[in-house]
Amino acid sequence: MPESLKKFQSTKLSEKDINDFKKELHNAYLEFLKANNEFYKINQKYKQKQVNKKEVAKVVEIKKQKSKAFKLILKEKKFKENLKFISKVNKNLSTKNSSIVFEKSKEELIEAKKIYKEFLASVKEMGRGAELDQLNDIAIKAENINFKYNFDLPYVLNDVSFEIKKGEYVTVIGHNGSGKSTLSKLLIGALQPESGHLSLFGNYVTIDTLDQARRFLGIVFQNPDNQFIGSSVEADIAFGLENKRVEPKLMHDQIYEAAKKVGMENFLDKEPLMLSGGQKQRVAIASVLALSPEILIFDEATSMLDPKGNREVKEIMVDLRDNMGKTVISITHDMDEILNADKVIVMNKGQMVKFGTPEEVLKEKEFLRSIKLDVPFLSLVEEALEKEGIKIKHSNTMDELVSQIC
Ligand SMILES: Nc1ncnc2c1ncn2[C@@H]1O[C@H](COP(=O)(O)OP(=O)(O)OP(=O)(O)O)[C@@H](O)[C@H]1O
């Protein structure tokens, strides 16, 4: 291996460097926007003689500094240098070098070109879309969220607060119109809270950080037919990866891996029409998984499926938590599903009226009935047994219940 190639490999820039650059650029951009906004506000105040020249000058100075800091980051040269370095190495290789060296150098050149292209794109996008760090283990923190669809309409969410830890499976239940879907739209950033805050892994979600925060999330919707974009399972899973600018060479493996996680790896060349509802939902999950989100939101994703499809998708949700370490939020009308979850959020008329383990929530059967919710079949059996004087502990599965009775 020539010294020059070895040196390049020990100093070369990676995907992490470009992500760090995006974060730095985006933060500097947000700081600049904030300073610009302050400048606009103080100018208005100055016109109304509410502040003096000295106060305005202070804000102008901050704006100048923020602008300077932002422009300095834009001048970053290291990605171009990185590309220049390997281009030169590549050019200087001679016929004395083995084909393995030629191949390696070509691969490095392709990688450096890709990183440079990403650098140029991220400058255009002001660093949006960088992957944020997980600053803590709280996947979702909602603090005093209030929301209404229009100023003259009543609040649809009232002072909703909760914390969902990384790796938890949480179901959200509630009667029709209780605010479940609105909550999911707020979580994915399709709607903005009127007041209150959302944080994902310790990162405050604002309109400016939304693009970055969204990368933590994937969502699977109710109707499997509306989620197919590609003409085959493979094309469908590829869609999100293409948007993420994944190299075509790596794409096939990533598609295969994602499909395998939901047991659809043997269906990659199949057309959507050939699949059952449950299989389509599994493909929708694979398309989301291919993008490696930490949190998966299922918005009534089992409600249009036959019993087999319903069971399959519910098993995947459990698998996502147990074997893939994902955080799962499932909005559901299926009361039996809550037994699979770690926690249950109960919504009623825009308020979160309960948040606890399934056992804690199911202790209050009368309350659930009073807000028009059914109780799981298993709980009905437990209730009937209790009425007959047979005392048993809470069970999460029929097998557990049967073994208690026997
Ligand atoms: N786009 C909208 N404009 C105005 N009001 C809306 C809009 N979408 C929903 N709402 C209202 O917000 C409230 C909460 O609706 P939401 O869809 O969040 O409830 P939900 O619990 O998901 O109901 P469901 O189980 O029927 O899907 C309801 O009163 C609904 O009529």
Side-chain angles (χ1 to χ4, degrees), residues 149 153 156 174-183 185 300 333:
Y149 279 96
L153 289 176
V156 175
H175 191 60
N176 292 339
S178 58
K180 304 181 298 293
S181 292
T182 305
L183 182 62
K185 287 178 194 150
E300 299 192 27
H333 281 281

Side-chain angles (χ1 to χ4, degrees), residues 19 22 26 125-132 209 211-213 215:
N19 197 51
K22 283 185 194 175
H26 197 59
E125 294 161 0
M126 303 299 181
R128 286 188 184 89
E131 271 175 47
L132 296 172
T209 59
D211 289 337
Q212 292 172 311
R215 297 186 68 152

